[in-house]
Amino acid sequence: MKKVFNCFVILLVMVCIDHVASAQVNSVRIISTPKAGMITIHAKELLASQITSRCDVKIVDGDNAQLNIELATEKMSYPESYRIVDKGNTHIRIVGSDERGLLYGVGKFLRTSRFDQGGFTAGSWRGTSSPTGKMRGMYLASHFNNFYEAAPIEEVQKYLDELALWGINYVVVTVPQFQFTGFNDPVAQKAITRLKQIMNAAKTNGMKV
């Protein structure tokens, strides 16, 4: 009977801890180092925009936020790895072995979280993850007036953001020469300008192009 009681207490404590870590909130503070690099700054912006666009939550500064999310980089065993840990009941740390790993950790955190009309519920996944492959890429075939060539560039940039959150680290693009009379063709110049925009968006996400 005593063993059953002890098991019940342990289970109750685990449920309570999970409940505290997964409480729904309406205000979030995102913290990063003042010396954050380009990819970390972009990861912070993505985290904020994904949360605020999907549920009724405010991103705030100061110590009065219901949930604090800290973004950091620390040395780990494998490149592009990440770790998500709790630092108190209202403080979560997303740590990358480098800036790319941090961005992928943000993606994992978002995928395990809930976005409801009543607010935001942080995902309860905690642990460390490392990529199984060094090259995880996509080919963006920008020809025949397809999505990459015809869609508003903002939509393509959002798509690249989504790919990065899933851990894509390589993007390949090409100039479809068969569509143009040469590089001086005005249509070719327009296509090249667009490809540069796509490449810049990819590099902002830490991708190799």
Side-chain angles (χ1 to χ4, degrees):
M1 186 68 182
K2 185 177 180 181
K3 289 183 179 179
V4 173
F5 177 77
N6 288 340
C7 289
F8 173 76
V9 171
I10 292 171
L11 179 62
L12 181 63
V13 170
M14 290 176 65
V15 170
C16 290
I17 290 173
D18 184 67
H19 176 72
V20 171
S22 303
Q24 192 177 76
V25 300
N26 298 107
S27 61
V28 174
R29 178 190 182 196
I30 304 174
I31 310 162
S32 62
T33 172
K35 297 182 180 180
M38 176 186 70
I39 301 171
T40 299
I41 293 172
H42 187 59
K44 183 178 179 179
E45 293 171 346
L46 276 180
L47 179 57
S49 64
Q50 289 279 342
I51 293 174
T52 55
S53 65
R54 295 173 184 269
C55 59
D56 187 17
V57 168
K58 291 183 179 179
I59 303 298
V60 300
D61 294 321
D63 299 326
N64 59 341
Q66 293 175 306
L67 176 65
N68 297 278
I69 305 172
E70 181 183 353
L71 307 181
T73 55
E74 295 176 0
K75 187 71 174 179
M76 294 186 197
S77 300
Y78 299 98
E80 301 185 355
S81 302
Y82 61 82
R83 178 172 63 247
I84 302 178
V85 296
D86 288 319
K87 189 181 177 183
N89 292 335
T90 62
H91 194 128
I92 297 171
R93 295 190 81 221
I94 304 175
V95 184
S97 60
D98 45 43
E99 287 194 288
R100 292 189 185 94
L102 173 61
L103 182 57
Y104 308 150
V106 168
K108 176 68 173 182
F109 176 71
L110 286 168
R111 289 192 297 277
T112 57
S113 299
R114 284 184 58 87
F115 308 87
D116 300 301
Q117 291 182 346
F120 173 73
T121 305
S124 59
W125 187 92
R126 300 293 181 269
T128 302
S129 181
S130 302
T132 56
K134 293 182 179 180
M135 183 180 291
R136 307 174 301 278
M138 291 287 288
Y139 167 50
L140 310 185
S142 55
H143 51 71
F144 294 130
N145 205 38
N146 65 3
F147 172 79
Y148 306 113
E149 186 177 21
I153 190 62
E154 294 79 12
E155 292 300 315
V156 180
Q157 289 169 337
K158 287 181 181 178
Y159 179 66
L160 285 165
D161 291 340
E162 294 284 352
L163 290 179
L165 290 171
W166 278 96
I168 296 297
N169 64 355
Y170 272 82
V171 164
V172 176
V173 295
T174 184
V175 179
Q177 301 177 40
F178 53 84
Q179 292 184 198
F180 316 120
T181 58
F183 281 108
N184 293 326
D185 186 335
V187 183
Q189 286 298 311
K190 182 179 178 181
I192 292 170
T193 298
R194 185 177 179 85
L195 288 178
K196 288 180 179 179
Q197 292 174 319
I198 292 174
M199 292 165 68
N200 286 333
K203 289 178 180 178
T204 301
N205 280 298
M207 297 175 180
K208 295 182 179 179
V209 181

